[in-house]
Amino acid sequence: MDRYFNLYSYCHPVKGCKRAVVCDLQRNIIQPIPLILYDFLDVSRSGTYGLLTSGMTQQERDAIEVYISYLYHNEFGYFSHRPIDDSLIELPVIEDNSQINNAIVDFSATSTHELEPIVGELDMLGCKALEIRYYYQLPLDELKRALLITAKSSIEKVEVCIEASVECSVKTLVALKNEFPKLSKLTLSNTSENVIYKHNGLVLISTSEIIRSENKCGVTGDLYCIAEQRLYWESMYFNNCLYKKIAVDKEGYVKNCPSMKERYGHVAETTLTSVVQSDAFRKHWDITKDKIEVCNQCELRYVCQDCRAYTIETGNPYSKPLKCRYDPRK
């Protein structure tokens, strides 16, 4: 066969130490492939299908034929008389002028910081997504007040976590989407059921788990992977957990993440802008998956969320996430 086999421009192969995958960033598909197929795809632009398979054993040619046929019929790739141009497979730069892209603000029943001035600062920093976590039973009118504050800002997406109460029923919370279109996800903890509801663009997670502190986050691994273009790009060049992220913990301290120990001042005494512009705050931003131990051997490293708060080796900024149970070496 004197034709080239090309993956579509949105399909990116990634090699691990034992396995490989093709990440389809358009259809959100993570397709496992054997290493022999990855090696073939890696050089597929250097020669036609017939040329590249001519030096293989019959057994290898048969295997490659089956694998390529699968990719072709499942629309991961196509045959052409010329190799795909390099410019078409390069990921576009997904960057903007904002200083912060996403933020987390935590509250306990004894918190003294206020949401409104924090949202005002996030607005000035260009924040696009905000997660607000209340580790107690928040009255419905206070939840609506918080959502109203975000509604008046330029924040585009809002997620909320609260503990279940009599007035915060699933039906009542689902109805909030009509009043507050920016609300994209709502987690209701300490319920009697484990159910996920989806309605009108709102994802409502009802869980029996009791969430009263930040130590419930940081769970990652092969079951939580997403083949999404922004995550893939960010994972290649930055830390996909902490890049352009800021947090205020339940005591009002500014951090990279509420679960991390490092503090950069209290919101009552410092501004988020001054924190974001400091080198100390940004030092985690460049810890890519390719620099993290074990992760750098994983075929899922560009589609998996990182966690720097909980790591296997405390104090090592390049240690594997503690709550990841997937080992690419096995």
Side-chain angles (χ1 to χ4, degrees):
M1 184 184 293
D2 62 349
R3 290 185 295 169
Y4 293 85
F5 182 78
N6 299 315
L7 289 175
Y8 286 109
S9 60
Y10 48 80
C11 293
H12 296 264
V14 184
K15 185 178 184 179
C17 61
K18 293 285 188 178
R19 291 166 290 274
V21 293
V22 172
C23 299
D24 185 330
L25 305 183
Q26 180 170 288
R27 297 180 294 173
N28 186 17
I29 298 174
I30 302 170
Q31 176 61 51
I33 61 172
L35 292 178
I36 186 177
L37 179 56
Y38 175 89
D39 293 337
F40 178 87
L41 295 171
D42 193 41
V43 297
S44 61
R45 283 177 291 154
S46 65
T48 62
Y49 180 89
L51 177 64
L52 294 176
T53 56
S54 61
M56 296 181 177
T57 65
Q58 186 61 50
Q59 184 178 5
E60 290 171 334
R61 281 198 298 271
D62 291 344
I64 288 295
E65 183 178 350
V66 171
Y67 298 143
I68 292 297
S69 176
Y70 179 87
L71 293 181
Y72 174 77
H73 286 101
N74 287 276
E75 300 180 336
F76 289 96
Y78 61 97
F79 288 99
S80 173
H81 290 294
R82 64 182 64 185
I84 190 171
D85 189 86
D86 286 348
S87 63
L88 296 178
I89 60 176
E90 292 177 358
L91 280 174
V93 176
I94 306 175
E95 189 62 284
D96 53 44
N97 295 324
S98 64
Q99 296 184 65
I100 287 294
N101 283 331
N102 60 92
I104 298 176
V105 181
D106 285 355
F107 293 93
S108 69
T110 59
S111 295
T112 58
H113 54 287
E114 296 287 339
L115 180 64
E116 191 164 11
I118 294 174
V119 169
E121 286 199 74
L122 292 174
D123 229 358
M124 291 187 291
L125 292 168
C127 184
K128 301 293 190 301
L130 171 62
E131 181 179 4
I132 314 170
R133 304 188 298 195
Y134 296 94
Y135 300 126
Y136 61 99
Q137 293 182 340
L138 185 73
L140 183 60
D141 60 339
E142 288 189 31
L143 174 58
K144 289 184 175 181
R145 178 178 175 274
L147 292 173
L148 183 60
I149 290 171
T150 63
K152 296 176 181 178
S153 72
S154 59
I155 292 171
E156 299 172 1
K157 184 173 71 172
V158 178
E159 299 181 5
V160 178
C161 176
I162 59 173
E163 187 169 341
S165 63
V166 175
E167 62 176 342
C168 288
S169 65
V170 169
K171 183 178 180 180
T172 300
L173 295 176
V174 167
L176 290 175
K177 178 66 175 180
N178 297 325
E179 190 175 352
F180 304 102
K182 293 181 181 180
L183 183 62
S184 62
K185 187 171 88 171
L186 206 158
T187 301
L188 192 62
S189 72
N190 198 13
T191 67
S192 59
E193 58 180 0
N194 292 298
V195 183
I196 297 177
Y197 300 92
K198 295 182 180 180
H199 177 74
N200 195 26
L202 172 67
V203 176
L204 193 151
I205 301 174
S206 175
T207 174
S208 59
E209 186 175 18
I210 299 174
I211 304 175
R212 290 179 182 161
S213 74
E214 64 281 350
N215 62 16
K216 295 294 183 180
C217 69
V219 179
T220 186
D222 56 316
L223 299 178
Y224 301 90
C225 293
I226 303 173
E228 190 269 330
Q229 191 175 66
R230 183 178 186 91
L231 176 63
Y232 192 99
W233 175 84
E234 202 165 81
S235 300
M236 289 185 70
Y237 299 107
F238 301 99
N239 183 270
N240 65 32
C241 177
L242 301 179
Y243 178 62
K244 288 192 174 185
K245 174 181 177 179
I246 197 167
V248 178
D249 72 7
K250 60 182 180 289
E251 295 177 2
Y253 288 99
V254 185
K255 298 181 175 181
N256 295 101
C257 167
S259 297
M260 298 184 80
K261 294 181 179 180
E262 293 169 283
R263 297 174 172 180
Y264 303 95
H266 195 278
V267 288
E269 301 168 350
T270 189
T271 65
L272 300 186
T273 300
S274 63
V275 171
V276 169
Q277 293 175 347
S278 68
D279 292 337
F281 180 79
R282 295 183 179 221
K283 67 182 179 180
H284 304 283
W285 287 12
D286 296 324
I287 303 177
T288 66
K289 283 286 192 174
D290 288 317
K291 296 178 181 178
I292 297 172
E293 297 165 0
V294 184
C295 294
N296 55 17
Q297 302 177 57
C298 183
E299 70 277 11
L300 301 171
R301 59 189 178 274
Y302 301 138
V303 291
C304 179
Q305 193 73 41
D306 185 40
C307 176
R308 292 297 87 203
Y310 302 105
T311 56
I312 290 177
E313 186 180 343
T314 304
N316 177 4
Y318 303 103
S319 179
K320 179 191 175 186
L322 176 65
K323 299 183 182 182
C324 175
R325 296 292 179 259
Y326 182 67
D327 191 339
R329 302 165 298 184
K330 295 181 179 179

